[in-house]
């Protein structure tokens, strides 16, 4: 695993490595571009197909981000919704063991959009498109 950014706001990540090093790693070891290159190399997809998928996913993500930004802020209780598909434990633990929260499925769709979710959905979409 290679972190493209620093550990926190106080760590820009440039004091112990150069921008050139980060860029070189991003270009040669990025898992998404590496997967794309393997798909093309194995003749499972054309570059143009993958570019079209990338554009489609980017539009979808941009629409979701726009919706998330325009939606009202979620209530604190909603932070514990949609954590598990099938929650067999009943409640969800908060910061302390005695801090228990109800786990619900949010039927209206979650308002919380995380960067990792976007990356996961891109990979998931590409994998299912070509398998």
């Amino acid at each position: 695993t290679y972190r493209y950014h620093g550990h926190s706001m106080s760590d820009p990540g440039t004091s112990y490595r150069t921008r050139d090093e980060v860029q070189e790693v991003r270009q040669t070891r990025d898992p998404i571009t590496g997967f794309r290159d393997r798909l093309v190399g194995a003749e499972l997809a054309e570059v143009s197909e993958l570019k079209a998928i990338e554009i489609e996913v980017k539009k979808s993500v941009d629409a979701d981000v726009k919706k998330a930004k325009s939606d009202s802020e979620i209530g604190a209780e909603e932070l514990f919704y949609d954590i598990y598909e099938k929650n067999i434990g009943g409640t969800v633990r908060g910061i302390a063991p005695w801090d228990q929260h109800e786990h619900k499925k949010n039927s209206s769709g979650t308002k919380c959009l995380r960067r990792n979710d976007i990356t996961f959905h891109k990979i998931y979409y590409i994998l299912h498109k070509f398998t």
Side-chain angles (χ1 to χ4, degrees):
T1 303
Y2 189 87
R3 183 178 282 112
Y4 294 134
H5 307 285
H7 288 73
S8 66
M9 295 294 285
S10 63
D11 172 21
T14 55
S15 59
Y16 48 90
R17 58 189 178 181
T18 66
R19 291 186 194 277
D20 291 338
E21 176 190 338
V22 174
Q23 190 62 27
E24 189 268 330
V25 169
R26 186 182 296 253
Q27 290 173 346
T28 60
R29 293 183 10 205
D30 186 274
I32 294 176
T33 56
F35 182 65
R36 180 190 62 212
D37 294 344
R38 282 184 282 171
L39 282 173
V40 172
E43 297 179 354
L44 295 171
E46 298 289 328
V47 174
S48 59
E49 288 178 280
L50 297 176
K51 188 66 177 169
I53 292 170
E54 186 178 330
I55 290 168
E56 183 180 331
V57 168
K58 189 173 275 196
K59 284 180 185 177
S60 174
V61 168
D62 287 346
D64 289 344
V65 168
K66 185 177 179 181
K67 182 182 182 307
K69 285 182 175 181
S70 67
D71 266 353
S72 59
E73 188 173 312
I74 64 172
E77 71 281 356
E78 285 189 61
L79 295 174
F80 301 95
Y81 293 4
D82 297 309
I83 296 174
Y84 304 108
E85 181 61 31
K86 294 180 183 176
N87 182 16
I88 59 173
T91 59
V92 177
R93 180 183 160 191
I95 295 173
W98 55 86
D99 186 17
Q100 298 291 315
H101 301 274
E102 183 179 6
H103 179 270
K104 293 182 182 177
K105 295 293 290 172
N106 187 350
S107 60
S108 64
T110 185
K111 295 178 186 175
C112 181
L113 186 64
R114 297 183 302 248
R115 184 171 180 263
N116 288 342
D117 292 337
I118 295 167
T119 302
F120 171 78
H121 289 298
K122 284 172 66 175
I123 293 170
Y124 180 85
Y125 181 83
I126 291 169
L127 281 172
H128 284 80
K129 178 85 173 171
F130 295 101
T131 57

